[in-house]
Amino acid sequence: MQLGIIGLGRMGANIARRLMKNGHAVIGYDASAEAVKALEGAAGAASLEDMVQKLAPPRAVWVMLPAGKITEDTIARLGGLLSKGDCVIDGGNSFFKDDIRRAHALAQKGIAYLDVGTSGGVWGLERGYCMMIGGETASVDRLDPIFKALAPGAGDIARTPGRETADPRVTQGYMHAGPAGSGHFVKMVHNGIEYGLMQAYAEGFDIMRGRNSDKLPQDERFDIHVADVAEVWRRGSVVASWLLDLTAIALAKSETLEEFSGKVDDSGEGRWTIAAAMDEAVAAPVITAALYARFRSRSENTFGEKLLSAMRKEFGGHIESTIPVHKAKDDDK
């Protein structure tokens, strides 16, 4: 099949490469002419208009851009360039309510819209992409060869008993989640869960590293090699996962992680997941705490923490510790 791809960054370019590797034709466009030139094997487009002209009807265009204004503007422009029967795919991390609105707007012109939550990151070219797709069934079915080529496939993962009559696409690594918005909704929750998993690993390894603190009794101190723990847990442990695999890789490169500041960004999906939980009155304490931990990582001592120290001094005469900040951090680890 033929597919236009807008946004040839790390994921967009690798999606294009995986498709071409599986025999599909790609027409690529990026604001950077260098990115277009670097995508060997693809037909380059100089503009959105040029891309649309080079695609044969019924067209399909995959938008792989950061969520927000750039995606919004690009999809709006495509709505004015594409024709009835064409399809726009948003493979980024857009907010699911934006997908619902866009799908309604494009449907007025006879243009289909699919929201595809795409997981796999920079490893997707090799491993494949897990995809959660929202949109009308006819368009999902028409573009199935694209999704099948991008998906990781069943691999050597054991089949789950009792799923013999279930949708076979799921075991291949992609699913039709439902109508417009549902694909990004499922991916949003996926990323919220990811926040919690990552935070649990981070806290656990921090506890192990801190066991050698001189604040503890001598016979209760352990100099645990956390890189070895990550590696052994990959083999037969109930906490084994791909995130743990990546943790083991990172710790093998640098067990102290001194090159990192520890200031952790969030890309929005964690906030949206918590907002959805609030809408549904569903308790989500782990995901919420994980998001707040990321907020906390970006500051040293907040005004609120200074006020806590001030209150402790007023009610109990407690004096702040004079341990240097860097020493306190070492001990905490």
Side-chain angles (χ1 to χ4, degrees):
M1 292 188 73
Q2 188 186 46
L3 182 72
I5 298 181
I6 301 171
L8 303 177
R10 286 175 297 179
M11 280 193 69
N14 279 346
I15 284 172
R17 293 184 180 104
R18 187 171 176 89
L19 286 173
M20 290 187 290
K21 181 180 178 182
N22 283 274
H24 296 282
V26 170
I27 298 176
Y29 171 71
D30 193 281
S32 166
E34 290 300 315
V36 176
K37 185 178 179 180
L39 188 60
E40 295 182 5
S47 65
L48 294 184
E49 292 81 1
D50 185 34
M51 167 177 281
V52 170
Q53 289 177 3
K54 289 180 176 178
L55 288 167
R59 306 172 184 86
V61 180
W62 185 301
V63 179
M64 201 67 189
L65 297 169
K69 188 177 187 305
I70 187 171
T71 292
E72 194 71 45
D73 292 348
T74 300
I75 292 174
R77 286 184 61 193
L78 286 172
L81 295 171
L82 296 174
S83 305
K84 183 177 179 180
D86 294 343
C87 182
V88 174
I89 304 166
D90 181 1
N93 281 324
S94 289
F95 186 41
F96 74 96
K97 293 184 181 181
D98 291 335
D99 294 312
I100 296 170
R101 171 178 49 77
R102 293 171 188 156
H104 286 320
L106 290 172
Q108 302 303 311
K109 302 178 181 182
I111 301 171
Y113 178 88
L114 300 181
D115 51 287
V116 181
T118 310
S119 181
V122 297
W123 297 80
L125 174 59
E126 175 187 345
R127 292 169 53 100
Y129 298 91
C130 174
M131 289 166 290
M132 299 131 270
I133 308 162
E136 60 181 24
T137 299
S139 294
V140 175
D141 290 347
R142 178 171 79 84
L143 294 170
D144 186 76
I146 295 293
F147 301 129
K148 186 174 182 180
L150 290 175
D156 58 0
I157 299 174
R159 303 298 193 272
T160 302
R163 290 194 54 87
E164 290 77 13
T165 60
D167 186 347
R169 294 174 295 185
V170 175
T171 59
Q172 298 298 313
Y174 65 109
M175 69 176 292
H176 184 195
S182 63
H184 277 153
F185 179 81
V186 175
K187 177 56 161 55
M188 174 191 78
V189 177
H190 164 285
N191 284 21
I193 292 170
E194 181 183 300
Y195 278 36
L197 290 171
M198 292 174 71
Q199 186 64 30
Y201 281 131
E203 291 175 8
F205 279 89
D206 212 5
I207 293 168
M208 287 187 288
R209 189 164 185 267
R211 200 62 207 175
N212 203 31
S213 170
D214 57 14
K215 292 180 180 179
L216 298 171
Q218 182 66 46
D219 60 352
E220 295 181 12
R221 300 177 197 171
F222 308 133
D223 186 13
I224 297 172
H225 295 283
V226 292
D228 287 350
V229 172
E231 188 63 29
V232 76
W233 280 358
R234 295 180 61 217
R235 306 169 192 285
S237 165
V238 297
V239 298
S241 72
W242 187 42
L243 284 174
L244 184 62
D245 294 345
L246 299 179
T247 299
I249 291 171
L251 290 173
K253 292 177 180 177
S254 171
E255 191 159 355
T256 62
L257 304 178
E258 291 178 352
E259 64 271 38
F260 295 96
S261 69
K263 294 182 179 180
V264 187
D265 290 330
D266 72 283
S267 53
E269 296 89 348
R271 304 183 192 209
W272 297 339
T273 302
I274 293 166
M278 293 173 66
D279 288 344
E280 301 163 20
V282 172
V286 172
I287 296 173
T288 302
L291 177 64
Y292 286 0
R294 293 191 178 203
F295 293 163
R296 179 64 188 87
S297 75
R298 300 168 205 165
S299 60
E300 290 294 338
N301 293 108
T302 66
F303 178 81
E305 289 164 337
K306 293 176 182 179
L307 185 57
L308 285 173
S309 287
M311 286 188 285
R312 291 184 75 247
K313 181 178 180 182
E314 293 302 323
F315 72 66
H318 300 291
I319 305 300
E320 286 185 318
S321 171
T322 57
I323 297 175
V325 173
H326 68 86
K327 181 65 164 67
K329 285 184 177 179
D330 287 345
D331 287 343
D332 286 345
K333 292 176 182 175

